Amino acid sequence: MEVVENFFTGPIAREYKSLWPHLYEPGVVDPAVDFLAGLAAGGSALELGVGTGRLALPLSARGVDVHGIELSPDMVEQLRLQEGAEVVGITLGDFATVKVEGRGGSFSLAYLVRNTIMNLTTQEAQVECFRNVAWHLEKGGHFVIEVMVPELRRLPPGTTVRPFMLEPTHLGFEQYDVATQRSVSHHIVERDGGMEMWSPGFRYVWPAELDLMGRLAGMVRRERWSDWVRSPFTSDSRSHISVWEKAAETSL
Ligand SMILES: C[S@@+](CC[C@H](N)C(=O)[O-])C[C@H]1O[C@@H](n2cnc3c(N)ncnc32)[C@H](O)[C@@H]1O
């Protein structure tokens, strides 16, 4: 398997909230937390790529026992600076493979939001991630993914690049390679009076492909919506929130 690259270091970790302020708006956070708390159903929740705790902390404040897996110590440092962080357990490592010690089969919910499944840049790693989640979930437990629908339809014919952010202090361009099913998000961000470039790589993934990954890991898809308030998923939806259930008879 490829070595995972940690893109969320130094200033990206420190400035995460100011780079993506809209993600912290109550209108974004509250419905996600409601959705996740409902599926946790009184049990424990595991966030893959917990980051600075944008959702883990409010979910924990709702009384849910939350544990996070995270690759970047710098992101965890930001999480630890916040109120309520002391009750959120953290395991450092790659969420495709790392195990939370002693917690196999113990979570009622696992979740992976904000396109973070795409941070795994091979199909093999994405499949491994589903298997790793199945290992952590109790039978009947749920796995939630929030991820974009690949935007290939929005590419002008013959081009490979599409702008996704055009703010004066933050420009973003997505570059697609359909041969490898990979993309690179080029961010050009104002810092210290100059502009800096940050270009994390992704593997974009189709909804139906995720369903197959779920099956390979002994899970069945139960829900697919276009947002956290369960609006219908349609052919025009730009992202989806999907829920798989670990089958009662799986051997994983
Ligand atoms: C887009 S941020 C999302 C953070 C948080 N979930 C949120 O909603 O704000 C992605 C996070 O996933 C982490 N991450 C990316 N790939 C990872 C991997 N293979 N294993 C563990 N964490 C990973 C990054 O370090 C980063 O903190």
Side-chain angles (χ1 to χ4, degrees):
M1 218 181 300
E2 284 190 21
V3 176
V4 285
E5 196 170 344
N6 178 9
F7 285 102
F8 289 80
T9 57
I12 297 295
R14 286 194 300 276
E15 296 166 11
Y16 183 78
K17 192 169 179 176
S18 55
L19 282 168
W20 292 281
H22 63 283
L23 293 175
Y24 286 82
E25 287 167 10
V28 175
V29 171
D30 295 348
V33 171
D34 286 346
F35 189 106
L36 295 170
L39 281 175
S44 299
L46 176 67
E47 178 164 357
L48 312 184
V50 66
T52 61
R54 182 181 65 91
L55 295 184
L57 291 172
L59 187 61
S60 166
R62 289 270 293 261
V64 178
D65 168 49
V66 183
H67 194 98
I69 296 179
E70 176 53 53
L71 192 63
S72 166
D74 292 359
M75 291 293 268
V76 173
E77 193 181 320
Q78 295 303 311
L79 184 151
R80 290 287 178 225
L81 293 173
Q82 297 170 70
E83 202 183 323
E86 61 288 349
V87 295
V88 175
I90 296 290
T91 300
L92 279 175
D94 174 6
F95 58 59
T97 51
V98 77
K99 305 276 185 276
V100 181
E101 213 180 312
R103 298 295 304 268
S106 74
F107 291 91
S108 58
L109 172 70
Y111 61 98
L112 181 50
V113 297
R114 268 221 70 205
N115 304 327
T116 303
I117 184 72
M118 295 179 10
N119 282 76
L120 299 173
T121 54
T122 64
Q123 187 184 59
E124 185 192 0
Q126 292 175 348
V127 167
E128 278 310 301
C129 174
F130 271 80
R131 288 194 201 278
N132 198 28
V133 165
W135 183 87
H136 286 93
L137 283 180
E138 62 189 26
K139 288 182 180 165
H142 292 98
F143 181 29
V144 176
I145 287 188
E146 176 195 28
V147 66
M148 65 190 282
V149 176
E151 301 221 294
L152 301 187
R153 281 197 307 164
R154 293 170 189 275
L155 282 175
T159 66
T160 57
V161 179
R162 209 184 100 69
F164 62 84
M165 173 87 88
L166 292 172
E167 299 294 330
T169 55
H170 187 174
L171 303 172
F173 300 91
E174 195 73 15
Q175 182 174 21
Y176 286 92
D177 178 357
V178 294
T180 58
Q181 204 168 314
R182 290 198 189 181
S183 62
V184 179
S185 291
H186 299 288
H187 295 260
I188 300 154
V189 180
E190 186 179 51
R191 182 166 299 123
D192 302 330
M195 299 301 274
E196 281 184 15
M197 190 148 160
W198 180 64
S199 296
F202 297 101
R203 177 181 188 271
Y204 59 87
V205 61
W206 301 97
E209 192 185 4
L210 289 168
D211 290 341
L212 271 181
M213 291 180 190
R215 280 190 183 210
L216 289 173
M219 296 185 209
V220 179
R221 179 164 60 81
R222 294 293 184 210
E223 304 183 46
R224 173 156 292 141
W225 308 103
S226 70
D227 60 28
W228 292 108
V229 294
R230 291 188 164 84
S231 303
F233 179 73
T234 72
S235 54
D236 290 324
S237 297
R238 299 194 48 188
S239 67
H240 61 103
I241 287 146
S242 298
V243 182
W244 294 267
E245 182 181 324
K246 177 169 160 177
E249 68 278 10
T250 181
S251 58
L252 286 162

